[in-house]
Structures are given as structure tokens and as C-alpha cells.
Amino acid sequence: IERVRMWRARPPAEAESAQAPADEVPGRTELHVVLQLGDKLCGHPEYVHGGLLSAVFDEVFGWCASMEKDATPGNKAAKIFTANLDVNYRRPVPKNGAYLVKCRVERVVRNKKVYLTGVWCDPTGNVLTESTSLYIITGTHGTRLAQEPGPAEQAAAARAVAPAA
């Protein structure tokens, strides 16, 4: 790996579903990583080794899960662990190239199961590799991940602090 740039992206806004279970909240974290790869990480002579792709997904998923966990008050001391990592290699990843890896938290269940998805794209946007993962948060002591307040909650909060006329 010759260069790495990582930044937090804003996950796409999704309509709140009345069907979502009470113990499940949508993810709030998405990371984008640009990687410049050389020719020292090859499996086949012209292509990057699949094990490196898996390791990068696991690392970026870990960052996402950690940021999601840390966004909840009282959860900073909790630990995260990979429970599952599934990687689907769609096309070979050529050596000596720049790539965009996008990973996001899809949902958090019972404040302990963090479900993530990710894609590895070439410069033209073609998906070369896809991945999903499940991370486990331990030591949360029942703290519930807070959702961002919706419009109704924001209006109610504004009314509660507004001076009486």
C-alpha cells in the first residue's frame, strides 16, 4: 500500500420504516478510503492478493463499527470484534492502481450486533469486490444506541425550550 486517504461520508438519508424492530437502529457511519496500491502485494503476477482485500475490508469495517459504538454515550469503553466477514470477488484487482473502498454501517441490533456492507471500486466506479460483515460490541451494559432525532422530536425539543409568550 503506497498511499491511503480516509474520510467520513454522510450516509444516504433513508426513510424511517415503521416496520423496523424496536431493538434495531439504522447505521450512522460511512467511511470512504482511497488506496494507491503498488506491485508488492500480488497473488497472481498482475493482480492484488485477495487476502489483502479481505484485510482492508476488515480494517475499514472495524473503523466504522468503532465510530458507531463511540457515538453512543457510555459506550467508549466497550470493545468490538469481527464475528463474520464475507468477501465476494467480482473481478480481479490489478496491481499499481488507485481504488475507492466504501464501507457503511447498515444497522445496529440490540446495541451489540453491527451489520456492515462495503464495496471496492476502480477509478471508473466498477465494483471489483463486495463485502459484508458482522461486528459484536461487548461490555455495553445495556446502553441503547441513540438514533438521530427526527423532525417531530426536533420540533418537540424546540417547543420545550421556547420562552412562553
Side-chain angles (χ1 to χ4, degrees):
I1 298 177
E2 295 178 355
R3 285 190 191 159
V4 177
R5 296 286 184 263
M6 179 168 57
W7 66 94
R8 189 172 187 166
R10 182 176 300 274
E14 295 180 10
E16 291 185 29
S17 170
Q19 313 254 346
D23 63 350
E24 183 176 307
V25 295
R28 300 168 288 178
T29 305
E30 181 171 336
L31 291 176
H32 292 188
V33 180
V34 172
L35 295 165
Q36 176 70 42
L37 301 179
D39 60 358
K40 305 291 187 217
L41 302 166
C42 296
H44 292 281
E46 297 299 313
Y47 301 107
V48 176
H49 194 285
L52 173 74
L53 306 179
S54 295
V56 169
F57 273 123
D58 191 38
E59 186 67 23
V60 179
F61 283 149
W63 278 91
C64 282
S66 180
M67 292 171 82
E68 193 80 17
K69 169 193 70 84
D70 289 348
T72 302
N75 267 8
K76 290 216 185 250
K79 300 200 180 328
I80 58 168
F81 298 93
T82 307
N84 177 274
L85 177 66
D86 183 45
V87 180
N88 294 304
Y89 303 96
R90 301 293 179 208
R91 297 179 184 174
V93 176
K95 66 181 182 179
N96 296 319
Y99 301 97
L100 174 64
V101 178
K102 298 190 277 186
C103 295
R104 67 178 290 202
V105 175
E106 292 295 328
R107 68 187 188 283
V108 180
V109 177
R110 293 190 310 272
N111 191 39
K112 64 187 209 177
K113 294 181 177 181
V114 182
Y115 291 89
L116 303 109
T117 59
V119 293
W120 187 295
C121 301
D122 68 12
T124 61
N126 294 316
V127 173
L128 305 177
T129 307
E130 299 172 314
S131 185
T132 59
S133 188
L134 169 63
Y135 270 71
I136 303 297
I137 301 173
T138 63
T140 59
H141 306 294
T143 307
R144 183 175 160 83
L145 283 173
Q147 283 183 294
E148 295 291 324
E153 291 86 0
Q154 289 175 354
R159 285 191 301 275
V161 297

